[in-house]
Amino acid sequence: MEANDYKGRVKPSWCPGCGNHAVIMALRKAMATLNYQTHETAVISGIGCSSRFPFFMSTYGFHTIHGRALPVAIGVKEARPQTNVIAVGGDGDGLSIGGNHFIHAARKNPNITYIMMDNEIYALTKGQCSPTSRIGTTTKCNPYAWTADRINPVLMALSFNASYVARGYSGDVKQLENLILGGLQHKGFAFIHIISPCVQYNKVSSYEKIKELSVPLPDNHDLEDRANAMKYAFSSEGLYMGLFYKTERQTYEDRYREIIKKAKSQSCDNITVKDVMKQFQ
Ligand SMILES: Cc1ncc(C[n+]2csc(CCOP(=O)(O)OP(=O)(O)O)c2C)c(N)n1
Ligand code: SF4
Ligand SMILES: [Mg+2]
């Protein structure tokens, strides 16, 4: 497969310069490296500019409802474990309305990849503040200043024990490709936080600004040391980029299948309804 084989029939309708163009390019390249087949892959999104993603891919896709990409993606993986499942969406989709699903997906460890395109704004609805907007941001809805503290998505993923946690930004497609490739290969919940500038509604967090803030994670940091990964995520010295954390633990699907096997192994032939009711008395 070539990266272009994953181009959908619809051309990306994102604004010229939107960070999401780099993300889709990086994902297609990573998928080509793994020779992903389009009929064995599903890209699932919520609602937002970034969530238009599935339309632009030739794989299976599902543009669900706002904030619900993750539960649908987990359901697809559960029903068809052989499918490569990639959930995508924005900061609003994954941290506001879908924030609850994000933390529960992280702790359950389903074998899916989750790509969050963070532009620090609700772009589709024309620029309201999101959970990653910076204090002081002004928009049409907040003409004086945005007042709430920000969510740190990498720290959030680490604290809920996501088993693969990375951060990249749209100004570095090669790094994005590598981080996504690692996420696709990882068995478990792979979270990739991508700072993906919105050139239309967020003039503060521009490509230049993110580049200026970026600091590469040291090559030798221990990828299994979650506390250390949190230290980098929490750092005020700069915006660390790269792979923060990676660990292997049982996936949600594996645990679920074990339970099904166990239940099936227990014969119910001689059990009556009365026997069952007795357990509740
Ligand atoms: C239940 C529901 N509430 C609100 C909306 C309106 N809405 C659509 S997209 C969106 C926010 C999108 O922001 P984000 O996920 O960051 O995506 P972006 O457009 O920035 O890529 C909102 C609030 C909706 N579609 N459905
Ligand atoms: S409004 Fe912003 S996020 Fe939406 S397509 Fe344009 S640049 Fe991208
Ligand atoms: Mg957004």
Side-chain angles (χ1 to χ4, degrees):
M1 298 292 283
E2 304 277 337
N4 282 346
D5 294 330
Y6 303 107
K7 281 187 176 173
R9 271 173 294 179
V10 182
K11 267 196 178 167
S13 53
W14 297 311
C15 307
C18 174
N20 301 342
H21 291 288
V23 182
I24 205 163
M25 244 189 309
L27 175 65
R28 287 173 182 158
K29 284 185 180 171
M31 285 169 57
T33 303
L34 298 175
N35 202 31
Y36 270 16
Q37 300 301 300
T38 50
H39 67 283
E40 289 169 349
T41 306
V43 179
I44 293 162
S45 69
I47 301 288
C49 285
S50 42
S51 289
R52 288 183 173 146
F53 212 108
F55 292 112
F56 315 140
M57 298 291 287
S58 57
T59 60
Y60 282 109
F62 194 172
H63 186 211
T64 71
I65 51 173
H66 197 28
R68 308 296 178 236
L70 283 171
V72 174
I74 294 168
V76 171
K77 189 69 187 177
E78 191 53 47
R80 297 184 67 85
Q82 70 275 30
T83 305
N84 308 305
V85 178
I86 303 152
V88 295
D91 42 310
D93 197 76
L95 298 169
S96 288
I97 192 166
N100 53 346
H101 297 305
F102 180 33
I103 61 181
H104 294 293
R107 79 182 168 84
K108 286 178 180 167
N109 201 32
N111 188 16
I112 64 172
T113 302
Y114 180 35
I115 296 174
M116 179 183 284
M117 285 155 273
D118 182 0
N119 52 15
E120 304 175 13
I121 208 91
Y122 292 174
L124 185 76
T125 44
K126 304 203 180 298
Q128 299 82 7
C129 284
S130 86
T132 53
S133 297
R134 289 156 203 268
I135 284 191
T137 302
T138 54
T139 68
K140 281 184 187 167
C141 297
N142 305 277
Y144 299 105
W146 181 241
T147 52
D149 276 327
R150 309 174 72 200
I151 285 181
N152 178 331
V154 167
L155 195 58
M156 191 165 157
L158 288 167
S159 51
F160 285 92
N161 208 12
S163 54
Y164 179 101
V165 182
R167 185 194 281 136
Y169 92 112
S170 298
D172 187 346
V173 184
K174 192 64 210 164
Q175 185 186 46
L176 276 191
E177 187 188 330
N178 288 334
L179 296 174
I180 293 174
L181 182 63
L184 296 177
Q185 288 172 308
H186 176 71
K187 192 164 184 242
F189 186 67
F191 172 62
I192 302 146
H193 179 223
I194 301 178
I195 316 279
S196 181
C198 169
V199 293
Q200 190 71 28
Y201 296 109
N202 188 339
K203 306 290 181 201
V204 179
S205 293
S206 58
Y207 287 92
E208 295 73 29
K209 168 94 180 188
I210 301 302
K211 193 170 179 192
E212 203 182 293
L213 293 174
S214 295
V215 185
L217 280 161
D219 289 336
N220 59 352
H221 90 278
D222 180 359
L223 286 177
E224 292 230 40
D225 185 342
R226 191 150 65 113
N228 203 38
M230 282 179 163
K231 202 182 77 190
Y232 287 119
F234 209 46
S235 171
S236 54
E237 285 162 17
L239 189 58
Y240 278 98
M241 298 283 173
L243 181 56
F244 284 76
Y245 181 66
K246 179 173 157 56
T247 191
E248 294 290 328
R249 64 186 165 90
Q250 228 184 0
T251 65
Y252 182 61
E253 297 79 24
D254 288 347
R255 286 183 188 153
Y256 200 66
R257 258 158 250 298
E258 261 180 25
I259 300 288
I260 292 173
K261 209 168 142 195
K262 198 171 163 191
K264 280 188 175 165
S265 70
Q266 290 172 357
S267 165
C268 302
D269 290 352
N270 300 318
I271 300 176
T272 64
V273 173
K274 251 188 191 167
D275 295 331
V276 174
M277 294 309 287
K278 258 191 213 154
Q279 295 176 25
F280 297 98
Q281 283 163 4

